[in-house]
């Protein structure tokens, strides 16, 4: 199973928004709501116009956990919602399929929308519908450095699970690996060339000085 990644680069996020906007406001709103609320894709697709129209917050009952969640709709996201829902029926699905019926797009379609846009702007990481939720978590953590809040939002059992989920653990691993190099040095002992690990040199030099 592929482990999908968050979108770490804020410039790439803006590029993705520009690409999605070319396809219409629906796809742009799906992406924007996902990265600004952290809702699961199943909960996003279940939203109707009435859930967001004229609202300062979105309140839902999570399909997976049955828990009530409340998220603010702020700034540009609220403006985008107001523009999108202005002439829509209240009981229409927010991310309605274009096939004519009042049904939301499928998870597969949501995946395709996100994946195609990410690949179009050069992102090579594994991307999926969870990428939106993980991107929210990643940038929330980078801003506030408060894993406890995210752990609560995501209903995780431990901080380590949350950090791994949002890609922070992987970032830390890669950072340490980039700074680590087990170098080999050449040391001459009685005219014989020997290849040594740098970590062994203190012992070798000590022994050599005592001979």
């Amino acid at each position: 199973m592929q482990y999908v990644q968050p979108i770490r680069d804020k410039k790439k996020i803006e590029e993705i928004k520009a690409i999605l906007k070319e396809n219409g406001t629906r796809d742009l709103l799906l992406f924007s709501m996902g990265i600004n609320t952290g809702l699961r894709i199943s909960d996003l697709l279940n939203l109707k116009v009435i859930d967001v129209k004229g609202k300062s917050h979105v309140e839902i009952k999570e399909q997976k956990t049955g828990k009530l969640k409340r998220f603010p709709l702020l700034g540009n996201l609220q403006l985008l919602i107001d523009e999108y829902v202005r002439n829509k029926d209240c009981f229409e699905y927010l991310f309605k399929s274009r096939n004519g019926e009042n049904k939301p797009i499928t998870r597969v379609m949501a995946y395709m929308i996100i994946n195609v846009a990410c690949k179009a702007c050069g992102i090579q990481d594994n991307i999926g519908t969870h990428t939106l939720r993980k991107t929210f978590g990643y940038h929330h953590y980078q801003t506030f450095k408060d894993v406890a809040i995210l752990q609560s939002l995501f209903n995780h059992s431990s901080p380590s699970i949350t950090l791994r989920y949002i890609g922070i653990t992987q970032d830390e691993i890669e950072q340490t690996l980039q700074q680590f190099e087990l170098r080999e040095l050449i040391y001459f002992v009685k005219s014989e060339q020997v290849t040594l690990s740098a970590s062994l040199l203190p012992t070798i030099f000590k022994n050599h000085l005592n001979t």
Side-chain angles (χ1 to χ4, degrees), residues 1-31:
M1 182 178 68
Q2 291 185 334
Y3 192 79
V4 303
Q5 297 295 322
I7 303 166
R8 295 171 171 84
D9 189 337
K10 288 185 177 181
K11 290 182 179 179
K12 290 296 183 183
I13 289 175
E14 294 307 312
E15 289 180 26
I16 292 168
K17 287 180 179 179
I19 291 170
L20 292 173
K21 191 173 182 179
E22 294 178 0
N23 295 329
T25 309
R26 184 198 68 182
D27 296 354
L28 173 60
L29 181 58
L30 174 66
F31 179 78

Side-chain angles (χ1 to χ4, degrees), residues 20-181:
L20 292 173
K21 191 173 182 179
E22 294 178 0
N23 295 329
T25 309
R26 184 198 68 182
D27 296 354
L28 173 60
L29 181 58
L30 174 66
F31 179 78
S32 297
M33 283 200 70
I35 65 173
N36 281 289
T37 66
L39 292 173
R40 292 182 180 88
I41 194 67
S42 57
D43 293 320
L44 285 171
L45 297 182
N46 200 44
L47 289 172
K48 292 186 176 181
V49 171
I50 195 172
D51 296 319
V52 297
K53 191 171 186 177
K55 305 286 182 66
S56 61
H57 290 73
V58 56
E59 299 181 14
I60 67 160
K61 184 176 182 180
E62 290 185 319
Q63 291 189 15
K64 183 176 181 179
T65 66
K67 293 183 178 181
L68 296 176
K69 290 290 183 180
R70 187 172 188 264
F71 290 89
L73 302 174
L74 304 173
N76 291 333
L77 178 59
Q78 191 170 39
L79 292 175
L80 184 62
I81 290 172
D82 290 344
E83 174 191 341
Y84 179 66
V85 303
R86 184 174 294 120
N87 298 314
K88 293 186 180 298
D89 183 83
C90 286
F91 295 98
E92 187 175 314
Y93 278 99
L94 191 61
F95 304 109
K96 181 182 173 183
S97 169
R98 291 172 180 152
N99 291 333
E101 300 181 46
N102 186 24
K103 292 182 178 180
I105 61 173
T106 64
R107 289 178 66 102
V108 173
M109 178 57 69
Y111 165 81
M112 292 177 61
I113 289 168
I114 298 162
N115 197 270
V116 168
C118 288
K119 298 307 179 188
C121 70
I123 294 176
Q124 299 300 316
D125 292 331
N126 292 328
I127 297 297
T129 53
H130 269 284
T131 291
L132 304 185
R133 185 169 163 88
K134 292 186 177 189
T135 299
F136 163 82
Y138 179 86
H139 289 285
H140 190 286
Y141 180 80
Q142 294 293 351
T143 300
F144 300 107
K145 302 296 182 184
D146 193 333
V147 67
I149 290 178
L150 287 172
Q151 180 186 342
S152 176
L153 285 172
F154 289 156
N155 301 310
H156 289 162
S157 59
S158 72
S160 61
I161 290 175
T162 300
L163 290 173
R164 183 169 67 249
Y165 179 78
I166 65 177
I168 297 296
T169 302
Q170 184 59 36
D171 282 358
E172 291 173 345
I173 291 172
E174 290 183 4
Q175 186 176 10
T176 61
L177 291 176
Q178 288 175 1
Q179 297 173 2
F180 176 82
E181 182 183 7

Side-chain angles (χ1 to χ4, degrees), residues 180-187 189 194-209:
F180 176 82
E181 182 183 7
L182 192 62
R183 294 174 294 176
E184 291 184 338
L185 301 179
I186 304 300
Y187 179 61
V189 181
V194 183
T195 303
L196 300 173
S197 169
S199 62
L200 298 177
L201 287 178
T203 302
I204 296 296
F205 280 128
K206 181 178 179 181
N207 294 336
H208 180 62
L209 291 173

